[in-house]
């Protein structure tokens, strides 16, 4: 089943985000390589594709896992959590309708 994972950035964490980005992307690439990633990306903190020093308000990942517990465990192991980027992570089932 698909699960939506939404991480919410804390204030002033852009440097920590950039420092943990490589490890974060490696985990996403592994999901993509396994055919389990629908989409992933950050949410700019301002209305701009490249927010510069304003940074990001969080990230969204939609990926396939065997259960809600497995999705939560994967989300809890995100390098952005260890680096103190995310202050909260929401995980919930997702049903794709379109496309």
């Amino acid at each position: 089943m698909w699960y939506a994972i939404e991480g919410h950035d804390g204030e002033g964490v852009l440097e920590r985000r950039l420092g943990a980005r490589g490890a974060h992307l490696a985990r996403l690439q592994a999901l993509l390589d396994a055919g389990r990633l629908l989409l992933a990306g950050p949410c700019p903190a301002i209305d701009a594709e490249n927010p510069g020093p304003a940074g990001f308000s969080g990230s969204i990942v939609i990926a396939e896992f065997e259960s809600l517990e497995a999705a939560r465990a994967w989300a809890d192991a995100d390098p952005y959590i260890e680096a103190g980027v995310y202050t909260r992570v929401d995980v919930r089932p997702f049903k794709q309708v379109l496309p």
Side-chain angles (χ1 to χ4, degrees):
M1 181 166 186
W2 294 109
Y3 293 89
I5 300 169
E6 186 173 8
H8 302 268
D9 285 20
E11 292 291 323
V13 296
L14 183 57
E15 289 301 318
R16 285 184 258 171
R17 176 183 263 275
L18 295 174
R21 187 170 188 261
H24 173 78
L25 291 178
R27 296 178 79 234
L28 292 170
Q29 186 64 51
L31 286 176
L32 181 64
D33 292 347
R36 297 174 42 209
L37 183 65
L38 184 63
L39 66 87
C43 301
I46 60 173
D47 190 13
E49 191 168 320
N50 181 359
F56 300 90
S57 63
S59 302
I60 297 172
V61 173
I62 299 180
E64 187 176 36
F65 294 93
E66 60 192 44
S67 66
L68 180 58
E69 293 76 23
R72 284 188 177 136
W74 186 90
D76 287 345
D78 195 296
Y80 283 171
I81 290 178
E82 184 178 327
V85 175
Y86 292 155
T87 59
R88 185 176 100 236
V89 177
D90 299 321
V91 181
R92 56 193 177 276
F94 176 80
K95 181 179 177 182
Q96 182 179 6
V97 176
L98 295 172

